[in-house]
Amino acid sequence: MSESALDRVARALDLVPFISRNTGLSIVQIAERFGSTPTQISRDLSLLHMCGLPGYSHLELLDIDYADPDYVSVTDAQVLERPRSLTQVEAVTLVLGLQLLAELASDSQERMAIISLQERITARYGTGLAASISITDAVAESPLTTEISRAISAKRKLFLKYNSASSDSITSREVFPIQIYYINGFAYLRAISLEANSERSFRLDRITELSIGENDRELAATVAQSRQTDEITEIEIMMGADGFFFVERHNEIVTSVSENNGHFRITLGVTAGEWITRTFLAWPSKIEVLKPESLAQAIQQRIADTLANYQ
């Protein structure tokens, strides 16, 4: 995709302070950090080499050394030694992105680091930024999230009482927790049910009681080995414009993505399980399952059975 002159100027303004603080990187490394190509970065450096403060002599020009493509440095950055300040739109976008990352983080320490960065950016740009953001809690967060995250990190079993929607009863479960994930605004725990000896998902807001058990190293090793040896099924789906958001939300299972005229063809590598069917059914827009055909038929049957309940 071609870039505009504004895109190139913005990158050029960011290059000088970045190189000033990261002296000695190669043009290839800089290109990787900026999501560009070595050829384009070389052109940017050549352009910057001819820029500077008014005066129009060599004394006012930026002094950039890039003759050796494996060692780029800035001797005189003029007034560009510090990174650009974020615009209001950029700051709002960044804070909203961090909000989403905090909701998706399964590790408590990682979540606290994200929240800390979000608070620093908000404080840096003052009350005006906070006034520009109106966030509705889209995720039904559970007070148990932090406790479960600690159990996952420590590889400890969980004992919980769960209000099952299917049986309309509260049951006691002993599980080995694997991951917290989010679908359609709700947090779920993916875990191994020790009674059923299979993977299950539990909605966090339906967990009425929870306690952490002991670390079971043998069980942790068995679960890790079984998950590594599970057969990976390749699934291909077609989605509309929101396929970009699907890829962001489920990037850990996405193996390839192609886009054509606003439609996304996405390949997933997943282990067998009911969860992928529920994930597709819970997505708010249309998902067309291209393969395997058995999954497409199973989802169609599930939809037909659900509609039959209303007849």
Side-chain angles (χ1 to χ4, degrees):
M1 184 174 63
S2 61
E3 62 180 5
S4 67
L6 288 176
D7 293 331
R8 188 177 181 190
V9 169
R11 184 177 61 245
L13 291 174
D14 291 335
L15 273 172
V16 177
F18 175 78
I19 296 172
S20 296
R21 299 192 178 194
N22 297 275
T23 298
L25 292 180
S26 68
I27 289 180
V28 171
Q29 291 173 314
I30 296 171
E32 290 175 351
R33 293 294 297 270
F34 280 81
S36 187
T37 64
T39 300
Q40 186 59 62
I41 294 298
S42 296
R43 290 173 180 170
D44 291 342
L45 294 174
S46 178
L47 176 64
L48 285 166
H49 193 65
M50 302 301 295
C51 298
L53 297 172
Y56 311 107
S57 74
H58 67 283
L59 298 176
E60 289 82 25
L61 294 178
L62 292 166
D63 191 353
I64 304 176
D65 184 2
Y66 60 98
D68 182 355
D70 293 326
Y71 190 96
V72 181
S73 63
V74 175
T75 303
D76 184 1
Q78 299 288 346
V79 294
L80 297 179
E81 70 278 358
R82 298 180 62 184
R84 292 181 300 133
S85 296
L86 296 174
T87 65
Q88 190 81 350
V89 173
E90 289 172 334
V92 168
T93 303
L94 186 55
V95 170
L96 289 174
L98 290 170
Q99 172 78 12
L100 177 60
L101 286 176
E103 292 169 353
L104 297 177
S106 59
D107 182 78
S108 58
Q109 292 183 346
E110 181 181 84
R111 176 176 301 191
M112 291 306 298
I114 294 171
I115 292 174
S116 175
L117 178 57
Q118 180 184 356
E119 291 174 345
R120 285 164 55 195
I121 294 173
T122 303
R124 169 66 178 79
Y125 288 89
T127 56
L129 177 62
S132 301
I133 304 175
S134 177
I135 298 177
T136 301
D137 290 334
V139 174
E141 191 62 277
S142 168
L144 303 175
T145 302
T146 301
E147 195 170 359
I148 293 175
S149 297
R150 290 172 179 167
I152 293 173
S153 299
K155 296 180 174 55
R156 292 177 178 270
K157 293 185 291 186
L158 290 174
F159 300 92
L160 51 89
K161 288 189 176 182
Y162 188 69
N163 187 356
S164 173
S166 58
S167 63
D168 192 26
S169 62
I170 296 179
T171 58
S172 298
R173 313 286 184 96
E174 182 181 9
V175 303
F176 185 83
I178 298 172
Q179 178 190 22
I180 294 176
Y181 64 100
Y182 297 83
I183 293 179
N184 206 27
F186 291 96
Y188 291 81
L189 167 64
R190 182 176 297 148
I192 301 297
S193 171
L194 301 184
E195 180 181 2
N197 194 29
S198 62
E199 190 171 299
R200 295 286 189 272
S201 292
F202 304 92
R203 218 171 87 173
L204 265 60
D205 61 329
R206 290 180 179 156
I207 298 176
T208 59
E209 293 183 25
L210 181 141
S211 60
I212 299 178
E214 296 182 351
N215 180 298
D216 191 327
R217 296 183 182 277
E218 184 177 348
L219 175 60
T222 301
V223 171
Q225 183 177 7
S226 65
R227 287 179 62 81
Q228 289 175 358
T229 57
D230 278 345
E231 183 180 355
I232 301 297
T233 300
E234 185 176 90
I235 297 174
E236 280 192 14
I237 60 175
M238 183 72 76
M239 298 185 64
D242 65 332
F244 176 79
F245 300 102
F246 183 92
V247 171
E248 281 196 333
R249 178 62 66 89
H250 302 289
N251 64 83
E252 72 279 1
I253 60 173
V254 173
T255 58
S256 69
V257 182
S258 61
E259 188 267 339
N260 185 25
N261 294 327
H263 290 81
F264 288 80
R265 190 184 187 99
I266 305 169
T267 303
L268 311 172
V270 304
T271 56
E274 169 71 10
W275 69 273
I276 191 64
T277 300
R278 290 198 300 268
T279 297
F280 290 162
L281 291 172
W283 195 257
S285 63
K286 178 182 177 181
I287 296 179
E288 179 184 359
V289 179
L290 303 179
K291 72 174 190 180
E293 186 177 349
S294 59
L295 177 60
Q297 293 174 347
I299 291 177
Q300 289 295 333
Q301 186 61 51
R302 180 75 62 84
I303 294 172
D305 292 343
T306 301
L307 291 174
N309 292 330
Y310 292 91
Q311 296 177 356

